[in-house]
Amino acid sequence: MFHNSAKILVAGAIAALIASSPVTAQQKLKIGFITTFSGPVGVIGKHMKDSVELALDHLGRKVGGLETEMIYGDDQFKPDVGLQVAEEMMKKDQVDLVSGIIWSNVMMAVVPAVTATGRIMLGTNAGPSPLAGSQCNALFVSTSWSNDQSPEAMGKFMQDQNINDVYVLAPNYQAGKDMVAGFKRYYKGRIVEEIYTKLGQQDYQAEITQLRAKNPKAIFAFYPGGMGVQFVKQYNQAGLRSQIPLYTVFTVDETTLPALKDDAIGQWEARFWSPDLKIPASQKYVADFRKKFGYTPSYYGAQSYDGIMLIDAAVRAVKGNVKDTKGMIAAMRKADFNSIRGKYSYNVNNLPIQNFYLLKGVKGSSGEVEMQIQKTIFENHKDSYFQDCKMKW
Amino acid sequence: MTFGLVFEQLLNGVQFGVMLFLMAAGLTLVFGIMNLVNLAHGSLYMVGAYLAVAATAWTGNFALGAALGLAGALLVGMVVEVVALRTLYERDHLDQVLATFGLILFFNELVAIVWGRAALYTSLPAWLQGHVELFTGSRYPVYRGLVIVVGLLVAVALWYVVTRTRIGMLVRAGASNRTMVAALGVNIRLLYTVVFGFGAALAGLAGLMAGPIYAVQPGMGELILIQVFVVIVIGGIGSIRGALVGALVVGIVDTLGRAFLKPLLGSVISPPAAEAAGPALASMLIYLLMAVVLAVRPEGLFSSRGS
Amino acid sequence: MGSRARVVFWSAAIVLLALLPPVVAALKEPFYLDLMRRVMIFAIAAISLNLILGYGGLVSFGHAAYLGIGGYAVGILAFYGVYSGWLQWPLAMGASALVALAIGAVSIRTSGIYFIMITLAFTQMLYFLGVSLEMFGGDDGMRIKTRSQFSGLVDLSDPVAFYYVVLVLMLASMYLVHRLVNSRFGMVLRAAKSNEARSRAIGFSPYLYRLAAFVIAGALCGLAGALLANHTAYITPDFMHWTRSGEIMFMVILGGIATGAGPLLGAAVLLVVESLLAGWTEHWQAILGPLLILSVIFFRRGLAGVLPGARDG
């Protein structure tokens, strides 16, 4: 809770600072936030934007004590449009920093353009592995994860359970391959078959038939968005829920649960955060989000909420002088704020070192199906690419 | 690769083909009779799915919801025809493609405004949730069996209507010579509206049957639309028979390709190469098939024109 | 009015476009330079499509394929450390021409809706091929770290220089298409569009003429692809997505088919309206959709049809 008195105090401090020092601390902060609003995946953009707005509410609409203007951009799920939106934000709207971005390919296109102008790029979802490793960037900071950390956690869990004979499915694109690679980094048991399906495929009955013929002990799958809704539904309709357990990453979450409901009961997921995480900052975020928007937030939103809070902490640390990007980055790397995931730290590549949990779809106390944390798989987990990052801090 | 497995995959292919057929039948009729390229046919499929889901939630009854969804798709189709498409019949394909693309954008946003962008929840009544054992170890979902039965019934009914009734005669006549039909004093405007609405209802039927299997979300129509175009082009535009054959061929080829192409390739070339090429080739297979068919028969398998 | 209006229109257009960089610099709005560069790149793609669609009557619904091939040619060469634009751009055009030859040889045998669909099918195949090119980023696409280099002659990382390169190439493309359609070759192409049987009767087989036009259009669009890859510094299979083909087609129709300035006007209006609407509401497609329909119903000759002098190139 950010009390009024505290706001006045901060405002007073800022005013005193401006009056007493010749430092040209600016009056207004402009933050660009890129996500996807149009098309079927626009639901993710909605989760992210609503969370940013909630963060601004919690900060009294002042990030780091500065009058704040948010400029939202729609990348339409296309890298070149994302880049155009970023250029527009920087050149036309003169934003101080750029944040957001759901997709790895959009991120890979936007990061070089933003950081080349000396601005900070604060990623709140996409975590392509090059940015964590060989192409790490001093001006790129993330509040999310490296793409394959969640499958690593799932691989670790399944390995620890001694689950053998796993059938692996993912869409045939880079993220799909990355997820399976992450899974295999920790899962060393037997893999019956690895299947890559067409991106955006609707019907998985053919694959499910093949799968059952091989009689595996478990399934590991990665099907984000609508693909996940379809796969999980069809898996249930084929009567497999009671036969072969389904372990997934980025497949069942609060953006797809409303479409799946009871079909998600018994579903296993791995993630760094879930709405039921027992952390005060998280509980406040979830409760206020539900109250304001009438639905349950997802990790996409949680990371974006954290992103604004991290900017807030950094702007405070440089006393409103947002042109001091070095100071801002140094402050961000301390992660000195009440994160929804609890206390965490930053690795050399500016990616969080954080916990990963095992989640299960269960009927909650309200009668709605929800993903609940079962156990901690990794504590303070580092991504697998930071050794390739040559940055020194 | 046992016989049972191949049989089950064939069944999957037929089921997918039947869905494609319901879409293709309406599209090919509209094409053949009105000479209208309707990219927005997928939007009618989406509208059918959304209306059925909404009506099911409202009435609490699956069958009633489906019936209302079907009626809704019919109505929306006729309204679209009267408001937007009627003026386009005399235009070239180019204008039609542009205007109906505009309709796609409009409908996708409209459902997003009304129902939000997240996928909607759909469920099946208990009597459709089970599965049947075709042979030991197999479990075929009852609902998919129902889809096949409904699709084939529609095919038979369509065959009857088109070949044995007066309206079917007009439809056939309209497909081969529009001017002549109009000259014979048939109310061609009304015929067009009815046929378009009928096509929309078929697309809506496909959409509402897809609801419980697929994700009901904005843009769901475009995921199937391109495949439907492949179907009618392979089958020959304007031909219901062609639509049925094309749909089954595309459904089976796509399904078998996904299931067996990789292992087959693996036995010919090295497994790692098959690993890389298999999925890519499987997703290109139906387009390859279409290119081959058109290279050999530029008007498709059963063109209604000129034969 | 005829030729005088034409001279006035084209002089005004060229002067305005040439003066844009100093104007945006004075207004401190460099973003509009980027937007206009993007518009002109898509205009080149639209100009190339206009050659076959507008003058040749070949409704290709797969023109984005060459945008992708041109882009990938630049990207793949850069991936292997070949940055020379002298090599990259001709190769982008050559590869696009070759693919257009293969696609055209099969497709031009069909007509009408079959032609629309077969060109779409080929582009879908190329799209899935791009998705499966794991080495070059697959579906994620690939960043191009170094833009094309021209022996120090022009520096494409300088936005103003790059803008003028695109402007010159766009004007050159317009001129090329203008000369082509008014040549003997163009006459045959246009005659075959209006009446195929008659042009056969007087002894021209349209097939080879159409194929040649198809290949030229492919090469030109490949150049647009090379420019687009340099513009975004990024390539993705999305360049070849079927909706991209649709967009280029709409630029041509919106601007006015078989007109000289149509492709540029169409590209400008579509991209600018899209950008304005997207900034205004997230439901911009609900507005753009009906706008497209209305423009088809009431705006039959396209934008060039209402501007004096813009109809002929």
PDB file of all heavy atoms in Angstrom, chain B residues 177-193:
ATOM      1  N   ASN B 177     -25.156 -21.697 -65.978  1.00  0.00           N
ATOM      2  CA  ASN B 177     -25.500 -20.526 -66.797  1.00  0.00           C
ATOM      3  C   ASN B 177     -26.454 -19.599 -66.049  1.00  0.00           C
ATOM      4  O   ASN B 177     -27.668 -19.790 -66.039  1.00  0.00           O
ATOM      5  CB  ASN B 177     -26.122 -20.975 -68.125  1.00  0.00           C
ATOM      6  CG  ASN B 177     -26.138 -19.838 -69.129  1.00  0.00           C
ATOM      7  OD1 ASN B 177     -26.161 -18.662 -68.749  1.00  0.00           O
ATOM      8  ND2 ASN B 177     -26.114 -20.188 -70.393  1.00  0.00           N
ATOM      9  N   ARG B 178     -25.880 -18.576 -65.462  1.00  0.00           N
ATOM     10  CA  ARG B 178     -26.660 -17.693 -64.597  1.00  0.00           C
ATOM     11  C   ARG B 178     -27.676 -16.872 -65.392  1.00  0.00           C
ATOM     12  O   ARG B 178     -28.820 -16.723 -65.005  1.00  0.00           O
ATOM     13  CB  ARG B 178     -25.732 -16.718 -63.873  1.00  0.00           C
ATOM     14  CG  ARG B 178     -24.791 -17.404 -62.951  1.00  0.00           C
ATOM     15  CD  ARG B 178     -24.160 -16.389 -62.070  1.00  0.00           C
ATOM     16  NE  ARG B 178     -23.194 -15.573 -62.776  1.00  0.00           N
ATOM     17  CZ  ARG B 178     -22.801 -14.399 -62.361  1.00  0.00           C
ATOM     18  NH1 ARG B 178     -23.321 -13.877 -61.283  1.00  0.00           N
ATOM     19  NH2 ARG B 178     -21.888 -13.730 -63.016  1.00  0.00           N
ATOM     20  N   THR B 179     -27.194 -16.339 -66.500  1.00  0.00           N
ATOM     21  CA  THR B 179     -28.040 -15.439 -67.281  1.00  0.00           C
ATOM     22  C   THR B 179     -29.302 -16.160 -67.732  1.00  0.00           C
ATOM     23  O   THR B 179     -30.388 -15.603 -67.719  1.00  0.00           O
ATOM     24  CB  THR B 179     -27.255 -14.939 -68.507  1.00  0.00           C
ATOM     25  OG1 THR B 179     -25.884 -15.245 -68.312  1.00  0.00           O
ATOM     26  CG2 THR B 179     -27.429 -13.462 -68.680  1.00  0.00           C
ATOM     27  N   MET B 180     -29.125 -17.408 -68.139  1.00  0.00           N
ATOM     28  CA  MET B 180     -30.256 -18.180 -68.622  1.00  0.00           C
ATOM     29  C   MET B 180     -31.293 -18.367 -67.527  1.00  0.00           C
ATOM     30  O   MET B 180     -32.485 -18.203 -67.745  1.00  0.00           O
ATOM     31  CB  MET B 180     -29.761 -19.548 -69.128  1.00  0.00           C
ATOM     32  CG  MET B 180     -30.797 -20.343 -69.864  1.00  0.00           C
ATOM     33  SD  MET B 180     -31.468 -19.423 -71.253  1.00  0.00           S
ATOM     34  CE  MET B 180     -30.314 -19.887 -72.523  1.00  0.00           C
ATOM     35  N   VAL B 181     -30.829 -18.678 -66.311  1.00  0.00           N
ATOM     36  CA  VAL B 181     -31.750 -18.882 -65.194  1.00  0.00           C
ATOM     37  C   VAL B 181     -32.534 -17.607 -64.934  1.00  0.00           C
ATOM     38  O   VAL B 181     -33.756 -17.631 -64.756  1.00  0.00           O
ATOM     39  CB  VAL B 181     -30.966 -19.309 -63.934  1.00  0.00           C
ATOM     40  CG1 VAL B 181     -31.907 -19.404 -62.739  1.00  0.00           C
ATOM     41  CG2 VAL B 181     -30.295 -20.639 -64.184  1.00  0.00           C
ATOM     42  N   ALA B 182     -31.821 -16.477 -64.943  1.00  0.00           N
ATOM     43  CA  ALA B 182     -32.491 -15.198 -64.704  1.00  0.00           C
ATOM     44  C   ALA B 182     -33.505 -14.927 -65.812  1.00  0.00           C
ATOM     45  O   ALA B 182     -34.616 -14.466 -65.572  1.00  0.00           O
ATOM     46  CB  ALA B 182     -31.465 -14.076 -64.639  1.00  0.00           C
ATOM     47  N   ALA B 183     -33.122 -15.259 -67.044  1.00  0.00           N
ATOM     48  CA  ALA B 183     -34.001 -15.002 -68.182  1.00  0.00           C
ATOM     49  C   ALA B 183     -35.272 -15.838 -68.098  1.00  0.00           C
ATOM     50  O   ALA B 183     -36.317 -15.457 -68.597  1.00  0.00           O
ATOM     51  CB  ALA B 183     -33.265 -15.304 -69.489  1.00  0.00           C
ATOM     52  N   LEU B 184     -35.188 -16.987 -67.423  1.00  0.00           N
ATOM     53  CA  LEU B 184     -36.356 -17.846 -67.309  1.00  0.00           C
ATOM     54  C   LEU B 184     -37.308 -17.379 -66.221  1.00  0.00           C
ATOM     55  O   LEU B 184     -38.270 -18.067 -65.889  1.00  0.00           O
ATOM     56  CB  LEU B 184     -35.910 -19.288 -67.036  1.00  0.00           C
ATOM     57  CG  LEU B 184     -35.231 -19.979 -68.224  1.00  0.00           C
ATOM     58  CD1 LEU B 184     -34.691 -21.340 -67.830  1.00  0.00           C
ATOM     59  CD2 LEU B 184     -36.208 -20.121 -69.385  1.00  0.00           C
ATOM     60  N   GLY B 185     -37.021 -16.215 -65.632  1.00  0.00           N
ATOM     61  CA  GLY B 185     -37.971 -15.624 -64.711  1.00  0.00           C
ATOM     62  C   GLY B 185     -37.811 -16.059 -63.267  1.00  0.00           C
ATOM     63  O   GLY B 185     -38.686 -15.864 -62.451  1.00  0.00           O
ATOM     64  N   VAL B 186     -36.683 -16.661 -62.945  1.00  0.00           N
ATOM     65  CA  VAL B 186     -36.443 -17.036 -61.558  1.00  0.00           C
ATOM     66  C   VAL B 186     -35.964 -15.795 -60.796  1.00  0.00           C
ATOM     67  O   VAL B 186     -35.189 -15.004 -61.323  1.00  0.00           O
ATOM     68  CB  VAL B 186     -35.364 -18.141 -61.489  1.00  0.00           C
ATOM     69  CG1 VAL B 186     -35.014 -18.445 -60.048  1.00  0.00           C
ATOM     70  CG2 VAL B 186     -35.862 -19.382 -62.198  1.00  0.00           C
ATOM     71  N   ASN B 187     -36.462 -15.620 -59.577  1.00  0.00           N
ATOM     72  CA  ASN B 187     -35.999 -14.505 -58.757  1.00  0.00           C
ATOM     73  C   ASN B 187     -34.578 -14.797 -58.291  1.00  0.00           C
ATOM     74  O   ASN B 187     -34.349 -15.421 -57.265  1.00  0.00           O
ATOM     75  CB  ASN B 187     -36.924 -14.310 -57.558  1.00  0.00           C
ATOM     76  CG  ASN B 187     -36.514 -13.087 -56.742  1.00  0.00           C
ATOM     77  OD1 ASN B 187     -35.407 -12.578 -56.899  1.00  0.00           O
ATOM     78  ND2 ASN B 187     -37.414 -12.632 -55.893  1.00  0.00           N
ATOM     79  N   ILE B 188     -33.636 -14.327 -59.094  1.00  0.00           N
ATOM     80  CA  ILE B 188     -32.243 -14.700 -58.863  1.00  0.00           C
ATOM     81  C   ILE B 188     -31.707 -14.078 -57.573  1.00  0.00           C
ATOM     82  O   ILE B 188     -30.910 -14.674 -56.872  1.00  0.00           O
ATOM     83  CB  ILE B 188     -31.392 -14.332 -60.101  1.00  0.00           C
ATOM     84  CG1 ILE B 188     -30.184 -15.249 -60.198  1.00  0.00           C
ATOM     85  CG2 ILE B 188     -30.959 -12.894 -60.098  1.00  0.00           C
ATOM     86  CD1 ILE B 188     -30.421 -16.436 -61.051  1.00  0.00           C
ATOM     87  N   ARG B 189     -32.200 -12.891 -57.238  1.00  0.00           N
ATOM     88  CA  ARG B 189     -31.751 -12.231 -56.015  1.00  0.00           C
ATOM     89  C   ARG B 189     -32.077 -13.073 -54.794  1.00  0.00           C
ATOM     90  O   ARG B 189     -31.246 -13.296 -53.929  1.00  0.00           O
ATOM     91  CB  ARG B 189     -32.455 -10.884 -55.863  1.00  0.00           C
ATOM     92  CG  ARG B 189     -31.852  -9.772 -56.666  1.00  0.00           C
ATOM     93  CD  ARG B 189     -32.371  -8.467 -56.147  1.00  0.00           C
ATOM     94  NE  ARG B 189     -31.290  -7.527 -55.990  1.00  0.00           N
ATOM     95  CZ  ARG B 189     -31.426  -6.339 -55.441  1.00  0.00           C
ATOM     96  NH1 ARG B 189     -32.584  -5.954 -54.956  1.00  0.00           N
ATOM     97  NH2 ARG B 189     -30.401  -5.529 -55.340  1.00  0.00           N
ATOM     98  N   LEU B 190     -33.335 -13.532 -54.761  1.00  0.00           N
ATOM     99  CA  LEU B 190     -33.777 -14.330 -53.619  1.00  0.00           C
ATOM    100  C   LEU B 190     -33.004 -15.643 -53.577  1.00  0.00           C
ATOM    101  O   LEU B 190     -32.553 -16.081 -52.513  1.00  0.00           O
ATOM    102  CB  LEU B 190     -35.280 -14.595 -53.728  1.00  0.00           C
ATOM    103  CG  LEU B 190     -35.878 -15.315 -52.516  1.00  0.00           C
ATOM    104  CD1 LEU B 190     -35.783 -14.444 -51.274  1.00  0.00           C
ATOM    105  CD2 LEU B 190     -37.324 -15.705 -52.778  1.00  0.00           C
ATOM    106  N   LEU B 191     -32.836 -16.233 -54.757  1.00  0.00           N
ATOM    107  CA  LEU B 191     -32.099 -17.499 -54.822  1.00  0.00           C
ATOM    108  C   LEU B 191     -30.695 -17.320 -54.237  1.00  0.00           C
ATOM    109  O   LEU B 191     -30.221 -18.143 -53.456  1.00  0.00           O
ATOM    110  CB  LEU B 191     -32.012 -17.974 -56.280  1.00  0.00           C
ATOM    111  CG  LEU B 191     -31.239 -19.283 -56.482  1.00  0.00           C
ATOM    112  CD1 LEU B 191     -32.025 -20.471 -55.950  1.00  0.00           C
ATOM    113  CD2 LEU B 191     -30.897 -19.501 -57.945  1.00  0.00           C
ATOM    114  N   TYR B 192     -30.053 -16.212 -54.604  1.00  0.00           N
ATOM    115  CA  TYR B 192     -28.706 -15.948 -54.112  1.00  0.00           C
ATOM    116  C   TYR B 192     -28.686 -15.819 -52.597  1.00  0.00           C
ATOM    117  O   TYR B 192     -27.844 -16.396 -51.912  1.00  0.00           O
ATOM    118  CB  TYR B 192     -28.155 -14.658 -54.735  1.00  0.00           C
ATOM    119  CG  TYR B 192     -27.637 -14.832 -56.146  1.00  0.00           C
ATOM    120  CD1 TYR B 192     -27.875 -15.999 -56.853  1.00  0.00           C
ATOM    121  CD2 TYR B 192     -26.908 -13.829 -56.757  1.00  0.00           C
ATOM    122  CE1 TYR B 192     -27.402 -16.151 -58.149  1.00  0.00           C
ATOM    123  CE2 TYR B 192     -26.411 -13.975 -58.047  1.00  0.00           C
ATOM    124  CZ  TYR B 192     -26.673 -15.136 -58.744  1.00  0.00           C
ATOM    125  OH  TYR B 192     -26.210 -15.283 -60.006  1.00  0.00           O
ATOM    126  N   THR B 193     -29.651 -15.028 -52.063  1.00  0.00           N
ATOM    127  CA  THR B 193     -29.677 -14.826 -50.617  1.00  0.00           C
ATOM    128  C   THR B 193     -29.880 -16.158 -49.897  1.00  0.00           C
ATOM    129  O   THR B 193     -29.222 -16.452 -48.897  1.00  0.00           O
ATOM    130  CB  THR B 193     -30.803 -13.848 -50.232  1.00  0.00           C
ATOM    131  OG1 THR B 193     -30.634 -12.664 -51.009  1.00  0.00           O
ATOM    132  CG2 THR B 193     -30.740 -13.482 -48.765  1.00  0.00           C
TER     133      THR B 193
END
